[in-house]
Coordinates of all heavy atoms in Angstrom, one line a residue:
M1 N 0.8 -1.2 0.0 CA 0.0 0.0 0.0 C 0.9 1.2 0.0 O 1.9 1.2 0.7 CB -0.9 0.0 1.2 CG -1.8 1.3 1.2 SD -3.0 1.4 2.5 CE -3.1 -0.1 3.4
L2 N 0.5 2.2 -0.8 CA 1.2 3.5 -0.9 C 0.3 4.6 -0.2 O -0.9 4.7 -0.7 CB 1.5 3.9 -2.3 CG 2.2 5.3 -2.6 CD1 3.5 5.2 -1.9 CD2 2.3 5.5 -4.1
V3 N 0.8 5.3 0.8 CA 0.0 6.2 1.5 C 0.5 7.7 1.1 O 1.7 7.9 1.4 CB 0.0 6.1 3.0 CG1 -0.7 7.1 3.7 CG2 -0.5 4.7 3.4
L4 N -0.3 8.5 0.5 CA 0.0 9.9 0.3 C -0.1 10.6 1.6 O -1.2 10.6 2.1 CB -0.9 10.4 -0.8 CG -1.0 9.7 -2.1 CD1 -1.9 10.4 -3.1 CD2 0.4 9.5 -2.8
D5 N 0.9 11.2 2.1 CA 0.9 11.7 3.5 C 1.4 13.2 3.5 O 2.3 13.5 4.2 CB 1.7 10.9 4.4 CG 1.5 11.1 5.9 OD1 0.5 11.8 6.2 OD2 2.2 10.6 6.7
R6 N 0.8 14.0 2.7 CA 1.0 15.5 2.8 C -0.3 16.2 2.9 O -0.7 16.9 2.1 CB 1.7 15.9 1.4 CG 3.1 15.6 1.3 CD 4.1 16.3 2.2 NE 3.9 17.7 2.3 CZ 4.4 18.6 1.5 NH1 5.2 18.2 0.6 NH2 4.2 19.9 1.7
D7 N -0.9 16.0 4.1 CA -2.3 16.5 4.4 C -2.2 18.1 4.3 O -3.2 18.8 4.1 CB -2.8 16.0 5.8 CG -4.2 16.5 6.0 OD1 -5.0 16.5 5.0 OD2 -4.6 17.0 7.1
D8 N -1.0 18.6 4.6 CA -0.8 20.1 4.7 C -1.2 20.8 3.4 O -1.6 21.9 3.2 CB 0.6 20.5 5.1 CG 1.7 19.9 4.2 OD1 1.6 18.7 3.9 OD2 2.6 20.6 3.8
V9 N -1.0 19.9 2.3 CA -1.4 20.4 0.9 C -2.4 19.5 0.2 O -2.5 19.4 -1.0 CB -0.1 20.6 0.0 CG1 0.8 21.7 0.5 CG2 0.7 19.3 0.0
R10 N -3.2 18.8 1.1 CA -4.3 17.9 0.6 C -3.7 16.9 -0.3 O -4.3 16.5 -1.4 CB -5.4 18.7 0.0 CG -6.1 19.7 0.8 CD -6.9 18.9 2.0 NE -7.7 19.8 2.6 CZ -7.5 20.5 3.7 NH1 -6.2 20.4 4.3 NH2 -8.4 21.2 4.3
N11 N -2.5 16.4 -0.1 CA -1.8 15.4 -1.0 C -1.8 15.7 -2.4 O -1.9 14.9 -3.3 CB -2.6 14.1 -0.8 CG -2.4 13.5 0.6 OD1 -1.4 13.6 1.3 ND2 -3.5 13.0 1.2
E12 N -1.5 17.0 -2.7 CA -1.5 17.4 -4.1 C -0.3 16.8 -4.8 O 0.7 16.6 -4.2 CB -1.4 19.0 -4.2 CG 0.0 19.6 -3.8 CD 0.0 21.0 -3.9 OE1 -0.7 21.7 -3.1 OE2 0.8 21.5 -4.7
L13 N -0.4 16.6 -6.0 CA 0.7 15.9 -6.8 C 1.6 17.0 -7.4 O 2.8 16.7 -7.6 CB 0.1 14.9 -7.9 CG -0.7 13.8 -7.3 CD1 -1.3 13.0 -8.4 CD2 0.2 13.0 -6.4
T14 N 1.0 18.1 -7.8 CA 1.9 19.2 -8.4 C 2.6 20.0 -7.4 O 1.9 20.2 -6.3 CB 1.0 20.1 -9.3 OG1 0.0 20.7 -8.5 CG2 0.4 19.4 -10.5
G15 N 3.8 20.2 -7.5 CA 4.5 21.1 -6.6 C 5.1 20.3 -5.4 O 5.6 20.9 -4.4
T16 N 4.9 19.0 -5.3 CA 5.5 18.2 -4.3 C 6.3 17.0 -4.9 O 6.2 16.8 -6.1 CB 4.4 17.7 -3.4 OG1 3.6 16.7 -4.2 CG2 3.4 18.7 -2.8
A17 N 6.9 16.3 -4.0 CA 7.7 15.1 -4.6 C 6.7 13.8 -4.5 O 7.2 12.8 -4.9 CB 8.9 14.8 -3.5
L18 N 5.4 14.0 -4.2 CA 4.5 12.9 -4.2 C 4.5 12.1 -5.5 O 4.5 10.9 -5.6 CB 3.1 13.3 -3.8 CG 3.0 13.6 -2.2 CD1 1.6 14.0 -2.0 CD2 3.3 12.3 -1.4
I19 N 4.4 12.9 -6.6 CA 4.3 12.3 -7.9 C 5.7 11.4 -8.2 O 5.6 10.3 -8.8 CB 4.0 13.3 -9.1 CG1 3.6 12.5 -10.4 CG2 5.2 14.2 -9.4 CD1 2.3 11.8 -10.2
D20 N 6.8 11.9 -7.8 CA 8.0 11.2 -8.0 C 8.0 9.9 -7.2 O 8.4 8.9 -7.6 CB 9.2 12.1 -7.6 CG 9.3 13.3 -8.4 OD1 9.1 13.2 -9.6 OD2 9.9 14.3 -7.9
D21 N 7.3 10.0 -5.9 CA 7.3 8.8 -5.2 C 6.4 7.8 -5.8 O 6.7 6.6 -5.8 CB 6.8 9.1 -3.8 CG 7.7 10.0 -2.9 OD1 8.9 10.0 -3.3 OD2 7.3 10.7 -2.0
V22 N 5.3 8.2 -6.4 CA 4.3 7.3 -7.0 C 5.0 6.7 -8.2 O 4.9 5.4 -8.4 CB 3.0 8.1 -7.5 CG1 2.2 7.2 -8.4 CG2 2.3 8.5 -6.3
V23 N 5.7 7.4 -9.0 CA 6.4 6.9 -10.3 C 7.5 5.9 -9.7 O 7.6 4.8 -10.3 CB 7.1 8.0 -11.0 CG1 7.9 7.5 -12.1 CG2 5.9 8.9 -11.7
R24 N 8.3 6.2 -8.8 CA 9.3 5.2 -8.3 C 8.7 3.9 -7.8 O 9.2 2.9 -8.1 CB 10.1 5.9 -7.1 CG 11.3 6.6 -7.6 CD 12.3 7.0 -6.5 NE 11.7 7.8 -5.4 CZ 11.5 9.0 -5.4 NH1 11.9 9.7 -6.5 NH2 10.9 9.7 -4.4
T25 N 7.5 4.1 -7.1 CA 6.9 2.9 -6.6 C 6.4 2.1 -7.7 O 6.5 0.8 -7.7 CB 5.7 3.3 -5.6 OG1 6.2 4.1 -4.6 CG2 5.0 2.1 -5.1
V26 N 5.7 2.6 -8.7 CA 5.2 1.9 -9.8 C 6.4 1.3 -10.6 O 6.3 0.0 -11.0 CB 4.4 2.8 -10.8 CG1 4.0 2.1 -12.0 CG2 3.1 3.2 -10.0
D27 N 7.4 2.0 -10.8 CA 8.6 1.4 -11.5 C 9.2 0.2 -10.8 O 9.5 -0.8 -11.3 CB 9.7 2.5 -11.6 CG 9.4 3.5 -12.7 OD1 8.5 3.3 -13.6 OD2 10.2 4.5 -12.7
W28 N 9.2 0.3 -9.4 CA 9.7 -0.8 -8.6 C 8.8 -2.0 -8.7 O 9.2 -3.2 -8.9 CB 9.8 -0.4 -7.1 CG 10.2 -1.5 -6.2 CD1 11.4 -2.0 -6.0 CD2 9.3 -2.2 -5.4 NE1 11.3 -3.0 -5.2 CE2 10.1 -3.2 -4.7 CE3 7.9 -2.2 -5.1 CZ2 9.5 -4.1 -3.8 CZ3 7.4 -3.0 -4.2 CH2 8.2 -4.0 -3.6
I29 N 7.4 -1.8 -8.7 CA 6.5 -2.8 -8.9 C 6.6 -3.5 -10.2 O 6.6 -4.7 -10.3 CB 5.1 -2.4 -8.6 CG1 4.8 -2.0 -7.1 CG2 4.1 -3.4 -9.1 CD1 3.6 -1.3 -6.9
N30 N 6.8 -2.7 -11.3 CA 6.9 -3.2 -12.7 C 8.2 -3.9 -12.9 O 8.3 -4.7 -13.9 CB 6.8 -2.1 -13.6 CG 5.3 -1.6 -13.8 OD1 4.4 -2.3 -13.5 ND2 5.1 -0.4 -14.2
G31 N 9.1 -3.8 -11.9 CA 10.4 -4.4 -12.1 C 10.5 -5.9 -11.7 O 11.4 -6.5 -11.8
G32 N 9.4 -6.4 -11.1 CA 9.3 -7.7 -10.6 C 7.9 -8.3 -10.6 O 7.0 -7.6 -11.0
A33 N 7.8 -9.5 -10.3 CA 6.6 -10.2 -10.3 C 5.9 -10.4 -8.9 O 4.8 -11.0 -8.8 CB 6.8 -11.6 -11.0
A34 N 6.6 -9.9 -7.9 CA 6.1 -10.2 -6.5 C 4.8 -9.5 -6.2 O 4.0 -9.9 -5.4 CB 7.2 -9.9 -5.5
V35 N 4.6 -8.3 -6.8 CA 3.5 -7.4 -6.4 C 2.6 -7.4 -7.7 O 3.0 -7.0 -8.8 CB 3.9 -6.0 -6.0 CG1 2.7 -5.1 -5.7 CG2 4.8 -6.1 -4.8
S36 N 1.3 -7.6 -7.5 CA 0.4 -7.6 -8.6 C -0.7 -6.5 -8.4 O -1.5 -6.2 -9.4 CB -0.3 -8.9 -8.8 OG -1.0 -9.3 -7.6
V37 N -0.8 -5.9 -7.3 CA -1.8 -4.9 -6.9 C -1.1 -3.8 -6.1 O -0.4 -4.0 -5.2 CB -3.0 -5.5 -6.1 CG1 -4.0 -4.4 -5.7 CG2 -3.7 -6.5 -7.0
L38 N -1.5 -2.6 -6.4 CA -1.0 -1.4 -5.6 C -2.2 -0.7 -5.2 O -3.1 -0.2 -5.9 CB -0.1 -0.5 -6.5 CG 0.3 0.8 -5.8 CD1 1.0 0.6 -4.5 CD2 1.0 1.7 -6.7
V39 N -2.4 -0.5 -3.9 CA -3.5 0.3 -3.3 C -2.9 1.6 -2.9 O -1.9 1.6 -2.1 CB -4.1 -0.5 -2.1 CG1 -5.2 0.4 -1.4 CG2 -4.7 -1.8 -2.4
I40 N -3.5 2.6 -3.4 CA -3.0 4.0 -3.1 C -4.2 4.7 -2.2 O -5.3 4.7 -2.6 CB -2.8 4.8 -4.3 CG1 -1.7 4.2 -5.2 CG2 -2.3 6.3 -3.9 CD1 -1.5 4.9 -6.5
T41 N -3.7 5.2 -1.1 CA -4.6 5.9 -0.2 C -4.1 7.2 0.2 O -2.9 7.4 0.1 CB -5.0 5.0 1.0 OG1 -6.0 5.6 1.8 CG2 -3.8 4.8 1.9
G42 N -4.9 8.1 0.7 CA -4.5 9.3 1.2 C -4.7 9.6 2.7 O -5.8 9.3 3.2
A43 N -3.7 10.0 3.3 CA -3.8 10.3 4.7 C -4.4 11.8 4.9 O -4.1 12.5 4.0 CB -2.5 10.3 5.4
G44 N -5.1 11.9 6.0 CA -5.6 13.3 6.2 C -7.1 13.5 5.6 O -7.8 12.6 5.5
K45 N -7.4 14.7 5.2 CA -8.7 15.1 4.9 C -9.1 14.9 3.5 O -10.2 14.9 3.1 CB -8.8 16.6 5.2 CG -8.7 17.0 6.7 CD -8.7 18.4 6.8 CE -8.4 18.8 8.3 NZ -7.9 20.1 8.5
A46 N -8.1 14.5 2.6 CA -8.4 14.4 1.2 C -7.5 13.2 0.7 O -6.4 13.0 1.1 CB -8.1 15.6 0.4
F47 N -8.0 12.5 -0.3 CA -7.2 11.4 -1.0 C -6.1 12.2 -1.7 O -4.9 12.0 -1.5 CB -8.1 10.6 -2.0 CG -7.2 9.8 -2.9 CD1 -6.4 8.8 -2.4 CD2 -7.1 10.2 -4.2 CE1 -5.6 8.0 -3.3 CE2 -6.4 9.5 -5.1 CZ -5.6 8.4 -4.6
S48 N -6.5 13.1 -2.6 CA -5.5 13.9 -3.4 C -6.3 14.9 -4.1 O -7.2 14.6 -4.8 CB -4.7 13.0 -4.3 OG -3.8 13.9 -5.0
A49 N -5.8 16.1 -3.9 CA -6.4 17.2 -4.7 C -5.9 17.2 -6.1 O -6.5 17.9 -7.0 CB -6.0 18.6 -4.1
G50 N -4.9 16.4 -6.4 CA -4.3 16.4 -7.7 C -3.4 17.5 -8.0 O -2.1 17.2 -8.2
G51 N -3.8 18.7 -7.8 CA -2.9 19.8 -7.9 C -3.3 20.9 -6.9 O -4.3 20.7 -6.2
N52 N -2.6 21.9 -6.7 CA -2.8 22.9 -5.8 C -4.0 23.7 -6.2 O -4.0 24.4 -7.3 CB -1.6 23.8 -5.7 CG -1.7 24.9 -4.6 OD1 -2.7 25.6 -4.6 ND2 -0.7 25.0 -3.8
V53 N -5.1 23.6 -5.6 CA -6.4 24.2 -5.9 C -6.3 25.7 -6.0 O -6.9 26.3 -6.9 CB -7.5 23.7 -5.0 CG1 -8.8 24.4 -5.3 CG2 -7.6 22.2 -5.0
K54 N -5.4 26.3 -5.1 CA -5.3 27.8 -5.1 C -4.6 28.2 -6.4 O -4.8 29.2 -7.0 CB -4.6 28.2 -3.8 CG -5.4 28.1 -2.6 CD -4.7 28.5 -1.4 CE -5.5 28.3 -0.1 NZ -4.8 28.5 1.0
D55 N -3.5 27.4 -6.8 CA -2.8 27.6 -8.1 C -3.8 27.5 -9.2 O -3.7 28.3 -10.2 CB -1.6 26.8 -8.2 CG -0.4 27.2 -7.3 OD1 -0.5 28.3 -6.7 OD2 0.6 26.4 -7.3
M56 N -4.6 26.5 -9.2 CA -5.6 26.3 -10.3 C -6.5 27.6 -10.4 O -6.7 28.1 -11.5 CB -6.4 25.1 -10.0 CG -5.7 23.7 -10.2 SD -6.9 22.5 -9.8 CE -5.8 21.1 -9.6
R57 N -7.0 28.0 -9.3 CA -7.9 29.1 -9.2 C -7.2 30.4 -9.8 O -7.8 31.1 -10.5 CB -8.5 29.4 -7.8 CG -9.3 30.6 -7.6 CD -9.5 30.9 -6.3 NE -8.3 31.5 -5.7 CZ -8.0 31.4 -4.4 NH1 -8.8 30.9 -3.5 NH2 -6.8 31.9 -4.0
D58 N -6.0 30.6 -9.3 CA -5.4 31.8 -9.7 C -4.5 31.7 -11.0 O -3.8 32.7 -11.4 CB -4.4 32.2 -8.5 CG -5.1 32.5 -7.2 OD1 -6.3 32.8 -7.3 OD2 -4.5 32.5 -6.2
R59 N -4.6 30.5 -11.6 CA -3.8 30.2 -12.8 C -2.4 30.6 -12.7 O -1.8 31.4 -13.5 CB -4.5 30.9 -14.0 CG -5.8 30.4 -14.3 CD -6.3 31.0 -15.7 NE -7.5 30.4 -16.1 CZ -7.7 29.2 -16.7 NH1 -6.7 28.5 -16.9 NH2 -8.9 28.8 -17.0
R60 N -1.7 30.0 -11.7 CA -0.2 30.3 -11.5 C 0.4 28.9 -11.4 O -0.2 27.9 -11.3 CB 0.0 31.1 -10.3 CG -0.4 30.5 -9.0 CD -0.1 31.4 -7.8 NE -0.6 30.7 -6.6 CZ -1.1 31.2 -5.6 NH1 -1.5 32.5 -5.5 NH2 -1.5 30.4 -4.6
G61 N 1.8 28.9 -11.3 CA 2.5 27.7 -11.3 C 2.3 26.9 -12.5 O 2.3 27.3 -13.7
S62 N 2.0 25.6 -12.2 CA 1.8 24.7 -13.3 C 0.4 24.9 -14.0 O 0.2 24.4 -15.2 CB 1.6 23.2 -12.7 OG 2.8 22.8 -12.1
F63 N -0.4 25.8 -13.5 CA -1.7 26.0 -14.1 C -1.7 27.5 -14.8 O -2.7 28.0 -15.1 CB -2.8 26.0 -13.1 CG -2.7 24.6 -12.4 CD1 -2.1 24.4 -11.1 CD2 -3.3 23.6 -13.0 CE1 -2.0 23.2 -10.5 CE2 -3.2 22.3 -12.3 CZ -2.5 22.1 -11.2
A64 N -0.5 28.1 -14.9 CA -0.5 29.4 -15.6 C -0.8 29.3 -17.1 O -0.5 28.3 -17.7 CB 0.9 30.0 -15.4
G65 N -1.4 30.3 -17.6 CA -1.7 30.3 -19.0 C -3.0 29.9 -19.4 O -3.9 29.7 -18.5
D66 N -3.4 29.8 -20.6 CA -4.7 29.3 -21.0 C -4.8 27.8 -20.9 O -3.9 27.2 -20.7 CB -5.1 29.9 -22.5 CG -4.2 29.2 -23.6 OD1 -3.8 28.1 -23.5 OD2 -3.9 29.9 -24.5
V67 N -6.0 27.4 -21.1 CA -6.3 26.0 -20.9 C -5.4 25.1 -21.9 O -5.1 24.0 -21.5 CB -7.8 25.6 -21.0 CG1 -8.6 26.2 -19.9 CG2 -8.3 26.2 -22.3
F68 N -5.2 25.5 -23.1 CA -4.4 24.7 -24.0 C -3.0 24.6 -23.6 O -2.4 23.5 -23.7 CB -4.6 25.3 -25.3 CG -5.9 25.3 -25.9 CD1 -6.7 26.5 -26.0 CD2 -6.6 24.1 -26.2 CE1 -8.0 26.4 -26.5 CE2 -7.9 24.0 -26.7 CZ -8.6 25.2 -26.8
E69 N -2.4 25.6 -22.9 CA -1.0 25.6 -22.4 C -1.0 24.6 -21.3 O -0.1 23.8 -21.2 CB -0.5 27.0 -22.0 CG -0.4 28.0 -23.2 CD -0.1 29.3 -22.7 OE1 -0.8 29.9 -21.8 OE2 0.9 29.9 -23.2
V70 N -1.9 24.7 -20.4 CA -1.9 23.8 -19.2 C -2.1 22.3 -19.7 O -1.4 21.4 -19.3 CB -3.1 24.2 -18.3 CG1 -3.2 23.1 -17.2 CG2 -2.9 25.6 -17.7
Q71 N -3.0 22.2 -20.6 CA -3.2 20.8 -21.3 C -1.9 20.3 -21.9 O -1.5 19.1 -21.6 CB -4.2 20.9 -22.4 CG -4.5 19.6 -23.1 CD -5.5 19.8 -24.2 OE1 -6.6 20.4 -24.0 NE2 -5.2 19.3 -25.4
E72 N -1.2 21.0 -22.6 CA 0.1 20.6 -23.2 C 1.1 20.2 -22.1 O 1.8 19.3 -22.2 CB 0.6 21.6 -24.1 CG -0.1 21.6 -25.5 CD -0.1 20.3 -26.2 OE1 1.0 19.7 -26.4 OE2 -1.2 19.8 -26.5
R73 N 1.2 21.1 -21.1 CA 2.1 20.7 -20.0 C 1.7 19.4 -19.3 O 2.6 18.6 -19.0 CB 2.1 21.8 -18.9 CG 3.0 23.0 -19.3 CD 3.3 23.9 -18.1 NE 2.1 24.5 -17.6 CZ 1.6 25.7 -18.1 NH1 2.1 26.2 -19.1 NH2 0.5 26.2 -17.5
Y74 N 0.5 19.1 -19.1 CA 0.1 17.8 -18.6 C 0.4 16.7 -19.6 O 0.9 15.6 -19.1 CB -1.4 17.8 -18.3 CG -1.8 18.1 -17.0 CD1 -1.9 19.4 -16.5 CD2 -1.9 17.2 -15.9 CE1 -2.3 19.8 -15.2 CE2 -2.2 17.5 -14.6 CZ -2.4 18.8 -14.3 OH -2.6 19.2 -13.0
R75 N 0.2 16.9 -20.8 CA 0.4 15.8 -21.8 C 1.9 15.4 -21.9 O 2.3 14.3 -22.1 CB -0.1 16.3 -23.2 CG -1.5 16.2 -23.4 CD -1.8 16.6 -24.8 NE -3.2 16.3 -25.0 CZ -3.8 16.5 -26.2 NH1 -3.2 17.0 -27.2 NH2 -5.2 16.2 -26.3
H76 N 2.8 16.4 -21.7 CA 4.2 16.2 -21.8 C 4.9 16.2 -20.5 O 6.2 16.3 -20.4 CB 4.8 17.3 -22.7 CG 4.2 17.3 -24.1 ND1 4.5 16.4 -25.0 CD2 3.2 18.2 -24.7 CE1 3.8 16.6 -26.1 NE2 3.1 17.7 -25.9
A77 N 4.1 16.1 -19.4 CA 4.7 16.0 -18.0 C 5.7 17.2 -17.7 O 6.7 16.9 -17.1 CB 5.3 14.6 -17.8
D78 N 5.4 18.3 -18.2 CA 6.3 19.5 -17.9 C 5.8 20.1 -16.5 O 4.8 20.2 -16.1 CB 6.1 20.6 -19.0 CG 6.6 20.0 -20.3 OD1 7.4 19.1 -20.3 OD2 6.3 20.6 -21.3

């Protein structure tokens, strides 16, 4: 089980190392046959906001620019 434990930011994936931890965990699982299921849970008040909701609202950080620019950054993991 993988527990997202950054309740201070509602387990957001943007702007934290959580996404790197998820990727490392999945890479480790894919490297062997011992694990066939991964359960991801969130500690605290939210499973995961996905991104910083305030940044989304204010269109700053990863969410700066128009919707097409944000979409392209997501598609290319920028």
Side-chain angles (χ1 to χ4, degrees):
M1 180 175 349
L2 178 63
V3 179
L4 306 179
D5 194 12
R6 285 292 311 273
D7 189 44
D8 59 314
V9 291
R10 300 291 192 267
N11 297 319
E12 73 181 66
L13 298 176
T14 58
T16 68
L18 285 178
I19 193 66
D20 296 329
D21 293 340
V22 171
V23 169
R24 269 193 303 278
T25 301
V26 170
D27 285 346
W28 175 78
I29 289 170
N30 286 335
V35 178
S36 59
V37 174
L38 173 63
V39 175
I40 302 175
T41 187
K45 298 173 186 160
F47 165 69
S48 176
N52 184 308
V53 178
K54 291 178 184 173
D55 284 350
M56 289 178 196
R57 178 195 66 208
D58 298 338
R59 296 193 173 275
R60 66 178 181 223
S62 298
F63 306 98
D66 66 36
V67 289
F68 298 108
E69 291 172 310
V70 174
Q71 175 182 315
E72 284 303 304
R73 277 196 296 278
Y74 266 89
R75 284 185 172 177
H76 300 287
D78 295 340

